[in-house]
Amino acid sequence: MRLPIIAFSPVLVTVVTVLAYAVLIVFLLYTHHVVPEAPTWVSTYPAVDIAGAWQDLQVLSSRFHHYNTRRNDEVRNWLLRRIETLLKSNNASFRTEPPAPGVSSPAPVVIFNDMVSNVTMSQSRQSVYFEGTNIMVYIRGTEDDDRDWWKDGDSYEGQGGVLVNAHYDSVSTGFGATDDGMGVVTILQLISHFISEGKRPKRGIVALLNNGEEDWLNGANAFTRHPLSAFPRSFLNLEGAGSGGRSTLFRSTDTEVTKAYESVSYPFGSAVSSDGFKRRLIRSGTDYSVFTSTLGLRGLDVAFMEPRSNYHTTRDNTKHASIDSLWHMLSGALATVETLASASGFTFNKPDPTHIEGSEGVWFDLFGQTFAVFRLTTLFAVSVTLLVAAPIILITLTVMLSRAERWYPFSRKQRLQIDNADDTIPGLPLDGLRGFFRPIVTMIVSTAVAVALAFLVAKINPYVIYSHRYTVWAMILTGFTTVAWFCLRGADFTRPTSLQRFYSLLWMYIISYILLVGVTILERNLDIAGVYFLVIYNGAVFVALFISYCELFALPKKSEYAQLVVNSDGLGGAESIASSRAIPPRSQNHSRSRERPTTADTDENANENTSLLRNDRGTTFAGYGGATRERRASGQASSTLIAAAAFASDDEALTQTLGTPYPNEQPWSARLPSWLWILQFLLVCPIPVILTGQIALLLTSALHQTPADGNPVLPIYLFIAGLTYFLLAPLLPFLHRFHYHIPSLLALIFIATLIFNLLAPPFTESNRLKTYFYQTIDLDTGENYVSLTGIPDYIHSIASSVPSASGKDLHCGEQDLAKYAGLSSCHYPGPAPRVVKNQDVGLPESTPPELGYKDWLSYNVSRAKDANSARFEIRGKNTRACRILFDRPISNFSVEGGALDSRFEPVGEDGSDEVRLWSREWERGWNVTVEWKDDDENEEGSVEGRGVSSWEREDRTAHARRTEQGGEKEIENGIYEQEVGRSKEREAGGMDGKVVCLWSDANEAGAIPALEELWQYMPNWSTAVKGDDGLVIGFKRFAV
């Protein structure tokens, strides 16, 4: 059956495929980059004020507000006032906790001003004591307990409610508009909505604004110590790792809670990102991990994710964000929390708070409009079904076609039955095997080209993807397509076959089947959900291949086809056929050209003046598909004499019986339907390309600027090369029908993008390279130096661009701190900081700050008699963050006034090398007791046994050299330790180390001139962000 309108012709194939890919690419890019416009007012949320939320965001992000800044306290007080204003404007009845004198009755809304909770915990070989300053608003649900149950000291035993969380602190070098100002103002609007008339939820809501997320997730950990933490059963965490765009669902605990996100108007996200966190491929963390691991809650993690070059920088402000992005997060949070808090179908009650129930989920959006979510077990069942059922179906069809004598693939000849002929008559060539290997060869060659391009760019200009991700994509996509077309079109030009589409789909299926085996193992053993696109891809290819199998039923039986050829009037009977034995068969091409030769041409006798290619007109690629092309290569004629003779005649009966095949393809293929190709294209292209394209865009946005954090670049390019195959493989069954114009254009684009990617500057003013800054001061000697960490190829030139380092011998080397792995650090003397005012240490304002260093930090340490224990009393000026660093691990510690919790170990199994101290009050200080084991009980006490910052290593080296007391031994990492003449304290089981205080406030001009100098003089394609909890780190040594 042939439908000329949608026939498998070059013009139609080129137009349909190019338009389809163009439309899909445009829609994918539009969905990824264009945020839905924010409305001025939403009738379903009358209490939500979008313009007011934007104004709140401008106030919140006007200055740096890290936990260790004075501005942080101002933000906290502003938030308390803003919450009360919202409650009063909605005429809500509320009270505060702790309550005012004389107020004790329960209220529908309770504000918790938590100035009590503290947490002592450890991670790896570091211990933390933190005092929280969280703000919580409890909106009592209609089905909640009416009592103030948190006062009883018991865990909440009811059905529980919903926690929605954001942190109101920023990093010390970022204004925090997106990280996490948008989350904070979103929660403010959630409070306004759920306290408004008629909007009270069934399940109660805890709105948590935690303080201290940017340093070890301290605020969320402090919340776990509050009685209110026993109430929630599910949660929504709001975060930011960029400066706008769409908010992305990038983590979820299970299928059931993820279904709450289905109600979002503009869903955005994929389970692929969740797998990245599970496998620890993404370095950063959020409060999500605290709520799941410590509280055992089930919930969602939603965050902004790009551009990452603005993350934690001064560009994380409202100027580089948008109200549309704010609405995208706000509208999604409203719908999600409303579903979690109101739908009775969600059962998140669980007896064991340390175990997360629910099933692993698979989820993804389609063009930001529709959201699909289902269980991983469902995906596994589909995978197993495809692995088992699909091959059985294809084998069954193969058997049916063989019995029906219609299995032309892999068939080379058909035996002829001719009366009065002997058994030596050759079979009729079918050429069914022709073209079998060309698809897989094309796939291998094209993919190899894509991989080679990845290695080439990674070698010549490795960081170009940082600023030019889409030129990298364009280069690899066009390179793959151009090479694939050249291979397929060249093969079809020399040896055309009607089974090209069938064999392409067959090889695509074989490859996807092999991948599906691995995917099914990952689903079953590792709970990997992000492979859903491969399962759908395999299913789509299988259905398309199934159609190709069904097409073969339209072909004539091979015996009937052979008899038709034998009975053609154009043959000279058995005698002519027998004479063909004298011609040795070589290649098979029993086909007609697009126009039959005239009688004169046919009957013309060849002589010495006759061209050997007399009928071979229009044999170039440009002539492909032309109306007058003819090909009759002498090397092909020998094996196709029989069929060619029949179709060269004017036997109208044969033509009417078989139909007209595509020019130069096997005559028996004339019966193949010419329109089913478009159905196959619609199966293998749109859905698989959409799913793969969304993953490609999501992961590219998440990864392309991570080399600034020390991630290797080659895996990013290889990831692009790998996904290129899945994006363009649906084109391969149809690519041989392409007109040469499109591949020629793509070849030009490939050349242009290749040259650009090899020569373009990798960093631009709009995509600045991040470097990591901190300044260290020896408060005993007054020595200070700046540490600047970044990509090795660029960090030296950046550091040398500032006046303080210009013309000086910079000390640059490998950075060994875990989170900066892969980067290098440069050190140089910096201008003296003024983070502590002279008047605070009793000096005139005009005095150089170096003279007051010794008074910035004071401590007293005393060792217990006959015990490996010491007590530290530490006070720092104008700070509420200090540390104690130990030369060997401690086995236990406690802070006066601190509470212990069985869920948290003060010290890990291998001990702790440092204790980090955070106070909610300025300059109050800490009294800390530490314990340690004897040297023979702990052989891993040296500093090389743990990750230490380069400033600590540099200082230890310098100090060891200054205090040389005999022989020194330089060990592998450049640290000098005394191998003889150890200190008397150490010989007696004592302890050496440092007391450190941190200063993180860069709001006041002149406080940290080294950082200001960098921002002013470093290249415009780079910027400096915080490299430690403190921007300025001052220390003194101790020995007990």
Side-chain angles (χ1 to χ4, degrees):
M1 178 180 180
R2 291 184 174 271
L3 300 177
I5 298 178
I6 54 175
F8 193 44
S9 62
V11 173
L12 190 60
V13 170
T14 304
V15 171
V16 170
T17 54
V18 170
L19 284 179
Y21 267 88
V23 169
L24 290 176
I25 290 172
V26 168
F27 271 95
L28 286 169
L29 290 173
Y30 180 87
T31 302
H32 191 79
H33 290 287
V34 179
V35 185
E37 185 177 357
T40 55
W41 184 77
V42 183
S43 58
T44 53
Y45 303 115
V48 172
D49 182 3
I50 303 172
W54 183 254
Q55 292 174 358
D56 287 344
L57 182 63
Q58 291 174 321
V59 173
L60 177 65
S61 60
S62 59
R63 302 176 70 191
F64 307 128
H65 47 284
H66 182 264
Y67 180 93
N68 194 25
T69 63
R70 303 281 181 174
R71 174 63 180 171
N72 183 271
D73 290 338
E74 297 173 3
V75 167
R76 184 175 185 281
N77 293 331
W78 172 81
L79 285 171
L80 288 169
R81 294 193 303 269
R82 187 75 181 101
I83 291 170
E84 290 193 9
T85 300
L86 290 172
L87 294 173
K88 291 176 181 178
S89 64
N90 283 280
N91 298 316
S93 176
F94 70 94
R95 66 177 180 82
T96 60
E97 187 72 32
V103 178
S104 59
S105 60
V109 181
V110 181
I111 304 173
F112 289 83
N113 183 11
D114 184 13
M115 300 293 285
V116 176
S117 297
N118 60 70
V119 61
T120 301
M121 58 184 180
S122 64
Q123 296 183 23
S124 184
R125 294 181 65 165
Q126 297 172 325
S127 296
V128 175
Y129 170 77
F130 179 81
E131 296 178 354
T133 58
N134 296 334
I135 299 172
M136 294 157 283
V137 178
Y138 170 49
I139 303 173
R140 199 184 301 269
T142 57
E143 298 180 359
D144 286 359
D145 194 327
D146 290 334
R147 301 177 299 107
D148 289 345
W149 47 266
W150 54 86
K151 295 181 178 180
D152 299 337
D154 299 327
S155 298
Y156 187 81
E157 298 180 355
Q159 67 175 1
V162 183
L163 169 69
V164 56
N165 171 74
H167 65 90
Y168 68 84
D169 62 308
S170 73
V171 294
S172 52
T173 54
F175 295 110
T178 307
D179 182 23
D180 190 21
M182 286 197 182
V184 171
V185 299
T186 291
I187 288 182
L188 294 180
Q189 293 303 312
L190 288 175
I191 294 171
S192 179
H193 169 72
F194 285 108
I195 63 174
S196 61
E197 185 177 358
K199 299 298 183 181
R200 187 176 174 185
K202 291 181 181 179
R203 295 173 180 250
I205 296 173
V206 175
L208 169 62
L209 300 175
N210 83 72
N211 190 18
E213 186 272 351
E214 294 294 354
D215 305 302
W216 285 59
L217 312 178
N218 290 329
N221 280 301
F223 171 71
T224 65
R225 297 277 303 129
H226 193 277
L228 201 61
S229 66
F231 174 74
R233 298 293 184 265
S234 60
F235 72 90
L236 173 64
N237 184 55
L238 304 176
E239 256 291 358
S243 61
R246 294 181 182 234
S247 59
T248 306
L249 174 62
F250 66 95
R251 259 199 294 188
S252 171
T253 56
D254 57 84
T255 309
E256 292 73 24
V257 75
T258 309
K259 288 184 177 179
Y261 192 73
E262 282 184 304
S263 57
V264 173
S265 299
Y266 305 105
F268 193 68
S270 168
V272 172
S273 57
S274 184
D275 290 335
F277 275 95
K278 288 179 183 178
R279 304 272 73 83
R280 298 183 179 180
L281 300 177
I282 300 176
R283 297 187 180 187
S284 58
T286 69
D287 293 328
Y288 173 99
S289 59
V290 176
F291 301 142
T292 55
S293 62
T294 304
L295 296 179
L297 303 183
R298 302 161 64 181
L300 311 170
D301 213 356
V302 174
F304 297 100
M305 57 174 291
E306 63 174 334
R308 192 171 177 84
S309 59
N310 291 345
Y311 178 52
H312 284 182
T313 74
T314 53
R315 288 186 177 176
D316 185 10
N317 54 24
T318 53
K319 181 179 179 180
H320 292 86
S322 73
I323 193 172
D324 297 333
S325 295
L326 173 59
W327 170 245
H328 191 262
M329 173 174 275
L330 174 55
S331 61
L334 283 165
T336 303
V337 176
E338 206 166 42
T339 303
L340 290 173
S342 301
S344 57
F346 287 91
T347 55
F348 300 124
N349 308 320
K350 50 191 182 308
D352 182 3
T354 64
H355 175 65
I356 297 178
E357 298 177 351
S359 60
E360 290 287 342
V362 181
W363 38 271
F364 53 88
D365 74 283
L366 289 174
F367 288 124
Q369 299 293 326
T370 305
F371 191 70
V373 55
F374 49 89
R375 294 186 176 188
L376 182 59
T377 53
T378 302
L379 185 68
F380 177 74
V382 172
S383 301
V384 173
T385 302
L386 287 171
L387 286 175
V388 176
I392 293 175
I393 293 173
L394 295 180
I395 293 172
T396 302
L397 287 173
T398 302
V399 173
M400 293 173 62
L401 286 164
S402 297
R403 290 182 176 180
E405 292 189 66
R406 290 178 170 87
W407 181 243
Y408 282 82
F410 307 104
S411 299
R412 303 187 66 178
K413 293 182 179 181
Q414 173 63 29
R415 288 181 58 84
L416 295 175
Q417 297 179 359
I418 303 176
D419 295 337
N420 302 322
D422 58 34
D423 295 336
T424 60
I425 296 177
L428 178 69
L430 297 178
D431 294 337
L433 186 60
R434 183 190 298 169
F436 173 68
F437 291 105
R438 69 182 60 162
I440 185 61
V441 171
T442 298
M443 294 174 188
I444 292 173
V445 172
S446 301
T447 303
V449 168
V451 172
L453 289 171
F455 276 96
L456 176 66
V457 175
K459 178 68 175 178
I460 303 300
N461 194 8
Y463 303 106
V464 68
I465 195 170
Y466 193 93
S467 300
H468 310 290
R469 51 182 160 166
Y470 291 129
T471 60
V472 173
W473 266 108
M475 175 192 69
I476 295 181
L477 288 173
T478 55
F480 184 101
T481 307
T482 302
V483 172
W485 176 82
F486 184 85
C487 293
L488 292 174
R489 178 66 196 97
D492 184 69
F493 179 77
T494 56
R495 292 173 56 81
T497 175
S498 60
L499 294 175
Q500 174 93 356
R501 186 158 30 103
F502 175 86
Y503 284 137
S504 295
L505 290 169
L506 181 61
W507 277 112
M508 288 170 60
Y509 176 74
I510 292 172
I511 293 173
S512 67
Y513 187 90
I514 295 171
L515 292 173
L516 185 62
V517 173
V519 161
T520 306
I521 295 173
L522 292 176
E523 294 166 357
R524 180 66 178 85
N525 296 338
L526 299 179
D527 292 333
I528 299 296
V531 292
Y532 61 86
F533 76 102
L534 292 174
V535 179
I536 296 173
Y537 173 80
N538 175 265
V541 173
F542 163 70
V543 177
L545 181 59
F546 176 83
I547 293 173
S548 279
Y549 267 80
C550 292
E551 278 186 296
L552 299 178
F553 283 102
L555 295 174
K557 290 184 177 181
K558 289 187 282 188
S559 59
E560 293 178 355
Y561 166 67
Q563 196 62 37
L564 281 171
V565 174
V566 169
N567 295 334
S568 298
D569 292 338
L571 291 174
E575 187 177 286
S576 297
I577 297 172
S579 66
S580 68
R581 287 176 295 173
I583 305 175
R586 287 187 282 183
S587 65
Q588 293 85 25
N589 184 11
H590 50 288
S591 57
R592 296 185 299 172
S593 53
R594 187 174 293 272
E595 289 189 359
R596 295 177 181 176
T598 63
T599 303
D601 291 335
T602 306
D603 296 337
E604 179 185 357
N605 293 322
N607 54 45
E608 67 274 10
N609 296 320
T610 303
S611 171
L612 294 175
L613 302 176
R614 57 184 174 179
N615 287 320
D616 191 8
R617 297 191 296 271
T619 57
T620 64
F621 280 11
Y624 173 64
T628 62
R629 186 187 66 159
E630 299 178 3
R631 185 192 311 126
R632 191 178 298 164
S634 60
Q636 295 175 337
S638 60
S639 65
T640 60
L641 176 62
I642 300 172
F647 277 82
S649 71
D650 290 324
D651 188 358
E652 296 297 336
L654 184 60
T655 304
Q656 291 176 1
T657 302
L658 288 180
T660 304
Y662 190 83
N664 303 302
E665 293 182 350
Q666 298 94 327
W668 48 260
S669 66
R671 289 274 188 91
L672 288 173
S674 64
W675 57 274
L676 285 176
W677 75 272
I678 200 163
L679 179 59
Q680 292 173 311
F681 179 73
L682 293 176
L683 282 169
V684 299
C685 177
I687 297 300
V689 169
I690 289 170
L691 296 179
T692 306
Q694 290 185 162
I695 292 172
L697 289 172
L698 183 70
L699 294 185
T700 303
S701 296
L703 298 176
H704 78 110
Q705 292 182 334
T706 57
D709 302 327
N711 289 352
V713 295
L714 181 58
I716 303 174
Y717 291 110
L718 293 177
F719 141 75
I720 293 176
L723 284 183
T724 293
Y725 169 80
F726 294 103
L727 286 171
L728 295 179
L731 198 60
L732 297 180
F734 319 98
L735 198 56
H736 65 289
R737 283 284 201 269
F738 258 47
H739 267 292
Y740 74 96
H741 304 86
I742 298 299
S744 299
L745 176 61
L746 294 179
L748 293 175
I749 296 174
F750 165 69
I751 294 172
T753 52
L754 175 61
I755 295 173
F756 178 88
N757 289 328
L758 294 178
L759 300 178
F763 311 108
T764 63
E765 189 172 2
S766 58
N767 294 277
R768 299 181 299 175
L769 172 63
K770 287 193 292 186
T771 61
Y772 301 92
F773 165 93
Y774 50 81
Q775 186 174 14
T776 304
I777 306 174
D778 185 332
L779 298 178
D780 291 318
T781 66
E783 295 180 358
N784 92 81
Y785 65 86
V786 171
S787 172
L788 195 64
T789 302
I791 294 176
D793 296 341
Y794 298 90
I795 192 63
H796 186 278
S797 63
I798 293 174
S800 60
S801 65
V802 299
S804 295
S806 179
K808 297 180 181 179
D809 184 19
L810 291 178
H811 299 281
C812 297
E814 183 178 353
Q815 168 59 266
D816 57 354
L817 194 62
K819 71 175 181 177
Y820 293 144
L823 302 182
S824 294
S825 297
C826 289
H827 306 92
Y828 59 90
R834 293 181 177 270
V835 291
V836 177
K837 295 180 179 180
N838 283 349
Q839 63 186 27
D840 294 339
V841 292
L843 294 175
E845 192 61 31
S846 58
T847 304
E850 297 93 320
L851 298 180
Y853 282 170
K854 59 183 179 63
D855 296 320
W856 286 14
L857 164 62
S858 61
Y859 74 91
N860 181 53
V861 56
S862 57
R863 181 175 177 180
K865 186 177 181 180
D866 299 327
N868 288 343
S869 175
R871 174 183 171 86
F872 290 82
E873 297 176 1
I874 303 171
R875 303 290 182 272
K877 293 288 187 180
N878 196 34
T879 185
R880 51 182 181 182
C882 291
R883 300 174 183 170
I884 310 175
L885 307 180
F886 306 98
D887 281 356
R888 56 175 171 156
I890 61 171
S891 58
N892 196 13
F893 91 100
S894 61
V895 178
E896 186 177 290
L900 298 179
D901 190 317
S902 60
R903 296 172 298 179
F904 302 104
E905 292 292 336
V907 174
E909 293 182 1
D910 298 328
S912 289
D913 298 303
E914 69 175 281
V915 173
R916 301 188 176 194
L917 305 167
W918 302 85
S919 170
R920 66 175 59 93
E921 297 180 20
W922 294 91
E923 302 183 6
R924 190 193 64 190
W926 306 265
N927 297 326
V928 184
T929 301
V930 300
E931 300 173 6
W932 63 92
K933 299 178 181 179
D934 290 329
D935 285 335
D936 56 354
E937 296 181 69
N938 192 341
E939 298 295 335
E940 300 180 356
S942 61
V943 293
E944 58 267 31
R946 64 180 173 95
V948 293
S949 60
S950 61
W951 68 264
E952 188 179 351
R953 287 183 176 273
E954 186 83 8
D955 175 73
R956 288 179 186 272
T957 302
H959 181 61
R961 286 171 176 162
R962 284 195 304 266
T963 60
E964 182 176 357
Q965 298 177 6
E968 288 183 316
K969 181 179 179 181
E970 184 174 2
I971 60 178
E972 192 173 75
N973 57 14
I975 302 173
Y976 288 81
E977 281 200 339
Q978 303 294 337
E979 293 298 327
V980 294
R982 286 178 177 265
S983 65
K984 294 181 179 180
E985 292 82 357
R986 291 293 300 271
E987 291 176 354
M991 176 70 76
D992 298 343
K994 295 194 189 83
V995 177
V996 181
C997 280
L998 314 176
W999 290 269
S1000 312
D1001 198 340
N1003 284 302
E1004 186 175 343
I1008 311 177
L1011 179 60
E1012 296 170 4
E1013 180 185 47
L1014 268 171
W1015 283 341
Q1016 181 176 358
Y1017 292 105
M1018 66 193 312
N1020 62 359
W1021 46 263
S1022 62
T1023 189
V1025 301
K1026 67 106 175 179
D1028 202 292
D1029 297 345
L1031 295 174
V1032 175
I1033 302 171
F1035 65 89
K1036 293 182 178 181
R1037 296 177 185 82
F1038 71 85
V1040 292

